[in-house]
Amino acid sequence: MAFFGRSGLAIKAAGIGAALLFSVSAGHTQSPGPFAGFDGAWTGTGTVSLSDGSTERIRCKADYKVAGSGLALKQALHCASDSYKFDLTSDVTSQGERISGNWSETNRNIFGNLQGTAGGGQIDVFVEANGFAANLSLRTNGTKQTVQISSKGEIRGVNITMTKG
């Protein structure tokens, strides 16, 4: 599938949004597993850096549901910038330090895979779909989540900060 212009950014941004579901909130003990403290509503803002050197602000709202004794996570994420928006859903599971799952962007009927590792308040993840791949580094500190994403595509970098509540 080929992606064109700014509308293609929305599809690629869906992969970026998928990264947000991997953030683990440290300091909460509602359930065991890597998604402890993650349940609930989150909001945040950040920037998206494009291959042409421009940047845009991005705004996100997410709802996370932890299940399976804290080893499974379902997510609904809605993000928008000045030129695009997307609606993403994800299902993720954990086996030890390994994290894997899948995601879909409902408006454009696309889907992809997620895989990586988690531990010590940091998550390293690889996200992919047809025409898009990115490396993600996530850090947690209490109810604050920071997400850094790098890609060689149209979207070169993303920095987002989310807070719970």
Side-chain angles (χ1 to χ4, degrees):
M1 174 185 300
F3 303 118
F4 301 99
R6 294 277 181 187
S7 64
L9 291 176
I11 295 168
K12 293 175 183 176
I16 291 166
L20 296 175
L21 72 96
F22 287 108
S23 301
V24 179
S25 179
H28 293 276
T29 58
Q30 75 185 41
S31 62
F35 307 120
F38 204 80
D39 242 9
W42 296 79
T43 58
T45 61
T47 58
V48 176
S49 301
L50 306 174
S51 61
D52 66 4
S54 66
T55 61
E56 293 188 22
R57 304 260 325 137
I58 190 168
R59 300 163 306 281
C60 299
K61 293 181 182 181
D63 184 45
Y64 301 91
K65 300 212 183 322
V66 177
S69 299
L71 300 177
L73 180 69
K74 290 184 181 268
Q75 172 245 30
L77 176 69
H78 308 283
C79 290
S81 77
D82 291 337
S83 63
Y84 60 84
K85 69 177 184 174
F86 63 90
D87 296 299
L88 175 77
T89 59
S90 301
D91 289 304
V92 181
T93 58
S94 171
Q95 293 183 337
E97 291 185 357
R98 301 293 309 163
I99 295 173
S100 63
N102 55 62
W103 59 272
S104 64
E105 203 289 320
T106 56
N107 292 322
R108 289 159 191 84
N109 196 30
I110 63 168
F111 58 93
N113 297 306
L114 312 159
Q115 61 183 346
T117 59
Q122 182 165 336
I123 298 174
D124 294 302
V125 180
F126 181 70
V127 177
E128 65 182 330
N130 189 15
F132 177 77
N135 291 301
L136 314 163
S137 177
L138 298 95
R139 289 190 167 83
T140 61
N141 183 10
T143 59
K144 181 180 175 182
Q145 305 172 7
T146 58
V147 180
Q148 294 181 323
I149 303 166
S150 62
S151 171
K152 294 184 180 185
E154 274 186 85
I155 295 177
R156 296 295 169 98
V158 176
N159 292 294
I160 300 170
T161 301
M162 301 277 283
T163 55
K164 189 172 184 177

